[in-house]
């Protein structure tokens, strides 16, 4: 070993003598390019390189994994919940295992690891020993040659299992939190669209305008509210999936000029939110009440910003890639460690189905996290928009006193207008 080190040092010294000290220094071209100043290549001097934009093909858009996402946009009613907790759910889910979208999306990965396991079993039959169908042991044709059997101890996989579990748990939990936040954003949209139109209807000063003008203003308020959530849905959806439907719905429900302005905008939800703000400002009511309605509209902007953050910022890519690499290497080498422990099976063939089963479930956990990570294309956003439209257009048709309740008209309220009627003990406004 000492002689080897001396040889390496001698070669390095000879190279430095032949080329001068430039063997360990920047080239002349680098010095000239830097204006005669030798600079160290530290991280501070390096320019940040942006990754290239992702390029997808029609095959990517129409792959099973992408097409199947639209069938995961479930909205539960009482009927679905009854079926969801029925006692036969285990048998039903096992019966549909082969048709599972997760399983179909993992077919190539599972096939690869199972093929590796099959190859190892066959290889070791050739380089070791094997049993015939009668159970008689025979030496393989390559036994006692320089070609070895392929096996590994199980201990490294046992030691790495907790680390792999932590990676998968964190990945899955983070992805679910992203889905939950996206769902809460749309829940806030649903709540505050109804709240906004309800306040606009209740606060509307009908004494200032005709009934026709009041209904026209409230209908416009409802449509502007709907156009924002519909523009937000389009903003968070793939262009090839929703663009044509979005344009069709806007031209059907909005005035043509208003619809075209939203479609032509660089940021469509912002344009729709501007239209909503103008519709609120046009409502005849006290400015304090109007500010309350604007506060509800401001929440839409917060929900939009939160959703844009989820869409543009995935779980750190290096974490996802390392998890995928960890799982892949762990499963590809697992058959080597399963060969000896499953020696009681015929020709160690038990390593093949065990590798298949473990691959399905571990790859499946990683696939679940990947499917949840981008939540908007598995959320029923179109269903949310349709319900919002139905509910708020109905609220806009409500009129004071249409249910027989008394309606008390009064001038615009100021605190000094509260007086006490001694005869009837009522507060008059």
């Amino acid at each position: 070993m000492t002689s080897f080190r001396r040889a390496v040092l001698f070669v390095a010294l000879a190279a430095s003598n032949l080329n001068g000290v430039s063997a360990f220094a920047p080239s002349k071209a680098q010095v000239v390019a830097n204006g005669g100043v030798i600079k160290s290549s530290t991280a501070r001097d390096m320019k940040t390189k942006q990754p290239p934009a992702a390029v997808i093909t029609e095959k990517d858009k129409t792959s099973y994994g992408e097409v199947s996402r639209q069938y995961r946009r479930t909205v539960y009613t009482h009927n679905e919940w009854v079926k969801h907790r029925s006692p036969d759910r285990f048998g039903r889910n096992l019966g549909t295992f082969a048709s599972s979208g997760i399983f179909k999306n993992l077919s190539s990965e599972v096939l690869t690891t199972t093929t590796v396991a099959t190859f190892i079993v066959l290889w070791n039959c050739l380089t070791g020993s094997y049993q015939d169908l009668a159970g008689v042991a025979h030496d393989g044709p390559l036994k006692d040659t320089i070609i070895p059997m392929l096996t590994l101890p199980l201990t490294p996989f046992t030691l790495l299992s907790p680390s792999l579990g932590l990676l998968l748990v964190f990945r899955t939990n983070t992805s679910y939190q992203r889905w939950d936040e996206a769902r809460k954003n749309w829940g806030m949209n649903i709540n505050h669209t109804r709240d906004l139109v309800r306040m606009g209807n209740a606060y509307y000063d009908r004494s200032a305008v005709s009934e026709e003008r009041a209904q026209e203003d409230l209908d416009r308020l409802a449509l502007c509210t709907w156009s924002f959530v519909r523009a937000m849905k389009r903003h968070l959806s793939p262009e090839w999936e929703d663009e044509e439907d979005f344009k069709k719905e806007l031209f059907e429900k909005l005035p043509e000029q208003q619809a075209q302005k939203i479609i032509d905008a660089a940021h469509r939800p912002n344009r729709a939110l501007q239209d909503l703000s103008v519709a609120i400002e046009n409502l005849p009511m006290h400015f304090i009440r109007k500010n309350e309605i604007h506060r509800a509209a401001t929440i839409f902007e917060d929900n939009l910003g939160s959703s844009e953050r989820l869409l543009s910022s995935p779980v750190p890519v290096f974490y996802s890639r390392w998890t995928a690499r960890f799982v892949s290497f762990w499963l590809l080498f697992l058959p080597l460690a399963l060969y000896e422990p499953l020696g009681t099976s015929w020709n160690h063939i038990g390593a093949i189905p065990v590798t298949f089963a473990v691959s399905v479930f571990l790859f499946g956990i990683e696939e679940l996290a990947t499917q949840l990570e981008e939540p908007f294309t598995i959320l029923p956003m179109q269903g949310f928009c349709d319900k919002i439209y139905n509910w708020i257009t109905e609220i806009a048709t409500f009129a004071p006193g249409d249910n027989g309740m008394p309606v008390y008209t009064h001038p615009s309220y100021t605190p000094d207008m509260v007086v006490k009627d001694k005869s009837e003990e009522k507060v008059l406004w």
Side-chain angles (χ1 to χ4, degrees):
M1 182 63 69
T2 304
S3 60
F4 175 76
R5 291 177 179 174
R6 288 178 180 176
V8 172
L9 290 174
F10 177 77
V11 172
L13 181 61
S16 64
N17 289 331
L18 288 173
N19 298 288
V21 294
S22 63
F24 301 99
S27 64
K28 293 181 179 180
Q30 290 175 323
V31 175
V32 172
N34 292 331
V37 180
I38 299 176
K39 293 184 178 181
S40 61
S41 57
T42 59
R44 183 180 300 176
D45 301 320
M46 298 179 183
K47 295 182 179 180
T48 303
K49 294 183 178 180
Q50 295 294 333
V55 178
I56 60 174
T57 63
E58 286 299 323
K59 183 179 179 181
D60 297 324
K61 298 176 184 178
T62 57
S63 65
Y64 180 82
E66 289 300 316
V67 174
S68 63
R69 290 178 69 83
Q70 61 183 305
Y71 301 110
R72 297 184 178 131
R73 301 166 188 172
T74 51
V75 178
Y76 267 33
T77 62
H78 290 291
N79 293 338
E80 282 77 20
W81 279 115
V82 170
K83 185 177 181 180
H84 182 74
R85 48 179 184 258
S86 64
D88 64 342
R89 62 186 182 276
F90 296 102
R92 184 175 66 250
N93 291 330
L94 286 175
T96 57
F97 184 86
S99 60
S100 166
I102 298 295
F103 178 74
K104 287 184 177 180
N105 217 34
L106 296 173
S107 56
S108 60
E109 290 86 351
V110 174
L111 179 62
T112 301
T113 55
T114 307
T115 302
V116 170
T118 305
F119 171 78
I120 290 171
V121 170
L122 295 176
W123 178 273
N124 289 340
C125 286
L126 295 174
T127 57
S129 59
Y130 66 93
Q131 292 180 345
D132 58 21
L133 295 178
V136 179
H138 301 276
D139 290 339
L142 300 178
K143 187 177 182 181
D144 298 329
T145 64
I146 61 172
I147 302 177
M149 295 177 62
L150 300 177
T151 60
L152 283 176
L154 190 59
T155 303
F157 295 87
T158 304
L159 293 175
L160 289 173
S161 294
S163 300
L164 178 60
L166 287 175
L167 281 173
L168 291 174
V169 166
F170 177 81
R171 177 100 166 83
T172 307
N173 284 352
T174 304
S175 296
Y176 175 78
Q177 289 170 3
R178 292 168 58 85
W179 179 91
D180 186 56
E181 183 176 354
R183 180 61 184 88
K184 287 177 178 176
N185 287 342
W186 275 94
M188 292 283 285
N189 281 345
I190 293 172
N191 294 344
H192 286 279
T193 51
R194 293 180 293 195
D195 201 35
L196 187 150
V197 179
R198 175 192 59 80
M199 288 190 293
N201 193 338
Y203 294 164
Y204 197 97
D205 186 2
R206 296 174 183 269
S207 63
V209 296
S210 64
E211 282 299 319
E212 292 77 12
R213 166 69 186 280
Q215 191 59 54
E216 180 183 344
D217 287 344
L218 294 175
D219 288 341
R220 184 181 300 109
L221 178 67
L223 286 175
C224 289
T225 305
W226 168 83
S227 67
F228 167 75
V229 292
R230 187 60 183 88
M232 179 174 170
K233 189 262 181 184
R234 167 62 193 90
H235 189 64
L236 301 173
S237 301
E239 179 181 358
W240 62 84
E241 179 184 308
D242 192 45
E243 180 67 17
E244 294 303 319
D245 291 339
F246 171 70
K247 293 179 179 179
K248 181 180 178 181
E249 288 186 56
L250 253 60
F251 282 121
E252 286 179 352
K253 294 181 171 64
L254 298 179
E256 182 178 356
Q257 185 177 0
Q258 182 182 356
Q260 192 63 53
K261 283 292 185 180
I262 295 175
I263 292 171
D264 294 340
H267 194 285
R268 292 162 171 176
N270 281 347
R271 176 69 207 205
L273 198 60
Q274 170 66 19
D275 294 345
L276 176 58
S277 299
V278 173
I280 294 172
E281 280 298 311
N282 288 337
L283 300 178
M285 62 180 64
H286 195 276
F287 75 93
I288 295 179
R289 291 181 167 182
K290 193 175 294 185
N291 287 343
E292 286 297 315
I293 302 178
H294 276 299
R295 188 174 290 113
T298 303
I299 296 174
F300 295 155
E301 189 72 49
D302 296 336
N303 293 336
L304 175 62
S306 174
S307 299
E308 288 176 330
R309 172 176 54 82
L310 292 175
L311 183 64
S312 61
S313 303
V315 174
V317 176
F318 55 84
Y319 186 95
S320 302
R321 289 175 179 171
W322 188 255
T323 303
R325 290 165 184 158
F326 197 152
V327 174
S328 299
F329 276 106
W330 198 89
L331 289 172
L332 284 171
F333 285 95
L334 181 63
L336 297 170
L338 292 177
Y339 186 80
E340 290 297 339
L342 297 174
T344 55
S345 61
W346 181 72
N347 287 323
H348 304 255
I349 201 172
I352 299 175
V354 171
T355 300
F356 173 84
V358 175
S359 299
V360 168
F361 293 117
L362 286 185
F363 277 135
I365 294 173
E366 203 279 335
E367 177 69 13
L368 287 173
T370 303
Q371 293 291 331
L372 282 170
E373 187 176 2
E374 190 275 282
F376 300 106
T377 49
I378 58 173
L379 281 175
M381 295 190 294
Q382 185 62 49
F384 296 155
C385 293
D386 293 340
K387 287 187 176 182
I388 287 172
Y389 176 79
N390 294 334
W391 290 332
I392 63 178
T393 52
E394 181 186 31
I395 293 173
T397 63
F398 298 161
D402 62 357
N403 60 348
M405 288 181 61
V407 178
Y408 303 105
T409 58
H410 52 80
S412 298
Y413 167 76
T414 54
D416 58 350
M417 293 182 65
V418 180
V419 297
K420 192 76 171 178
D421 186 348
K422 299 295 184 180
S423 61
E424 296 183 341
E425 293 296 318
K426 290 183 179 179
V427 177
L428 302 179
W429 304 90

